[in-house]
Amino acid sequence: MSREPLTSKRYIDGIYIPAGLLVFGTVIVKREWTIYAALLAVALGFLKFFNSQPKKVLKPDVFQDFPLKEKTIISHNVAIYRFELPHPTSLLGLPIGQHISIGAALPQPDGSTKDIVRSYTPISGDHQPGYFDLLIKSYPTGNISRHMASLAVGQTIRVKGPKGAFVYTPNMVRHFGMIAGGTGITPMLQVVRAIIRGRKDGDKTQVDLIFANVTPQDILLKEDLDALAAEDSGFRVHYVLDKPPEGWTGGVGYVTTDMITKWLPKPAPDVKILICGPPPMVSGLKKATESLGFQKARPVSKLEDQVFAF
């Protein structure tokens, strides 16, 4: 998030003018106290400046409660949940590429209660103060996802973080090849948006994304992805459907080595493949990328890995 200039209207109205009035009023009423008034004005101005700076709220080892502010229905089982941070200037404090843990005490079939924790990647970022957004697909057998679907505005969730081994930095590689399935699009979208925001500061990273789903209706945030691809020539998205409609021109079936060869960058020291999706998909893609000459993916990915699975 870019720092607000010291000449902004907020600082002028909230700090400089009140400080000036304090000093000016002292000069009129009791001139000999001017130096003390100036010192007080500086101290109060610094305190107000400090308190007005964005604060990162995430804590890695402590769950905190955040209230649901808004819920946007995307489909019968998908929604975007917007949670409110403590102050309008608060930042979640999540590095690009990392995720948060959401915990809840949920009733079990045997009547007991169990603490369940699941990981999610927000689709918002620290350039958007005051809130964070989660895109969540609710499953009938899901724990946290079903709990989220039942939330009403004003109710809270428990969150801690950041978590994860991947942290994006500008130009960390020349070219990303991304493969996402379903809600696995969320960390990819976070990274893509960061890259495109960074173009003005010299981020030249190229991105090709394969996004696999079952039907066209399952393609989450397609309008957003298409808009980003239209906006930025360095980002390209390739859709794959398991059950395509008549006339479909994208990929068909599961993501194959042929699709990876056709759409994603070739193995190179300055290339990285990112994968996120259902476990069987991730397992198959690790083998596929290795067969194409990429370094073998580890069971648990590290930042330096050529093939990184979220």
Side-chain angles (χ1 to χ4, degrees), residues 14 23 35 40 49 61 65 67 80 107 116 131 137 141 191 209 227 238 249 260 266 269 282:
V23 175
I35 184 63
L40 179 61
F49 173 82
D61 301 315
D65 290 330
I80 296 175
I116 305 293
Y131 66 89
K137 185 173 185 177
T141 57
V191 173
L209 164 67
H238 315 278
T249 57
I260 296 172
K266 304 296 184 288
V282 172

Side-chain angles (χ1 to χ4, degrees), residues 221-245:
L221 301 174
K222 186 176 188 298
E223 289 184 4
D224 298 65
L225 292 166
D226 290 344
L228 289 170
E231 170 192 346
D232 190 275
S233 60
F235 169 57
R236 295 158 292 275
V237 58
H238 315 278
Y239 297 106
V240 176
L241 293 179
D242 193 34
K243 298 178 180 177

Side-chain angles (χ1 to χ4, degrees), residues 3-287:
R3 184 174 294 276
E4 187 175 5
L6 294 176
T7 53
S8 70
K9 188 176 186 299
R10 183 163 70 96
Y11 292 146
I12 291 172
D13 293 345
I15 297 177
Y16 304 144
I17 290 177
L21 290 174
L22 174 61
V23 175
F24 182 70
T26 304
V27 169
I28 295 174
V29 176
K30 207 164 182 73
R31 181 182 293 268
E32 61 270 27
W33 286 8
T34 300
I35 184 63
Y36 304 109
L39 291 172
L40 179 61
V42 170
L44 292 175
F46 179 80
L47 181 63
K48 188 164 186 178
F49 173 82
F50 178 79
N51 288 335
S52 69
Q53 296 308 294
K55 304 292 194 303
K56 296 179 179 181
V57 301
L58 268 183
K59 297 178 181 178
D61 301 315
V62 179
F63 277 109
Q64 300 178 82
D65 290 330
F66 298 101
L68 180 64
K69 180 180 180 181
E70 188 179 324
K71 181 177 177 180
T72 303
I73 303 297
I74 304 298
S75 69
H76 72 284
N77 63 351
V78 178
I80 296 175
Y81 302 83
R82 174 163 293 184
F83 291 92
E84 192 170 15
L85 297 177
H87 302 286
T89 58
S90 295
L91 306 178
L92 185 61
L94 186 71
I96 300 299
Q98 296 207 302
H99 55 265
I100 58 176
S101 294
I102 296 178
L106 301 178
Q108 301 301 300
D110 62 3
S112 63
T113 299
K114 184 178 180 181
D115 283 325
I116 305 293
V117 178
R118 293 289 184 271
S119 297
Y120 290 93
T121 302
I123 57 172
S124 55
D126 280 355
H127 62 294
Q128 299 163 298
Y131 66 89
F132 64 95
D133 290 341
L134 296 174
L135 173 73
I136 295 180
K137 185 173 185 177
S138 178
Y139 297 93
T141 57
N143 287 299
I144 296 296
S145 69
R146 203 164 34 135
H147 172 67
M148 296 286 286
S150 71
L151 288 179
V153 171
Q155 291 184 295
T156 61
I157 58 166
R158 297 164 56 225
V159 173
K160 70 177 181 180
K163 303 287 183 181
F166 185 88
V167 177
Y168 176 73
T169 52
N171 296 309
M172 65 188 296
V173 293
R174 173 180 56 85
H175 201 152
F176 276 121
M178 299 179 173
I179 312 173
T183 53
I185 191 62
T186 55
M188 309 303 185
L189 183 60
Q190 190 188 55
V191 173
V192 168
R193 283 175 168 167
I195 289 170
I196 294 176
R197 284 198 308 274
R199 294 295 192 211
K200 65 182 185 302
D201 298 318
D203 196 332
K204 299 178 181 178
T205 310
Q206 295 287 303
V207 182
D208 278 277
L209 164 67
I210 296 175
F211 190 16
N213 289 278
V214 179
T215 70
Q217 291 72 34
D218 296 315
I219 303 177
L220 301 172
L221 301 174
K222 186 176 188 298
E223 289 184 4
D224 298 65
L225 292 166
D226 290 344
L228 289 170
E231 170 192 346
D232 190 275
S233 60
F235 169 57
R236 295 158 292 275
V237 58
H238 315 278
Y239 297 106
V240 176
L241 293 179
D242 193 34
K243 298 178 180 177
E246 189 176 344
W248 174 254
T249 57
V252 176
Y254 295 139
V255 178
T256 64
T257 54
D258 287 343
M259 294 177 190
I260 296 172
T261 300
K262 178 181 178 182
W263 289 323
L264 301 192
K266 304 296 184 288
D270 54 0
V271 163
K272 192 184 285 285
I273 301 296
L274 305 181
I275 303 171
C276 191
M281 175 185 177
V282 172
S283 178
L285 289 172
K286 284 182 176 182
K287 295 174 183 175

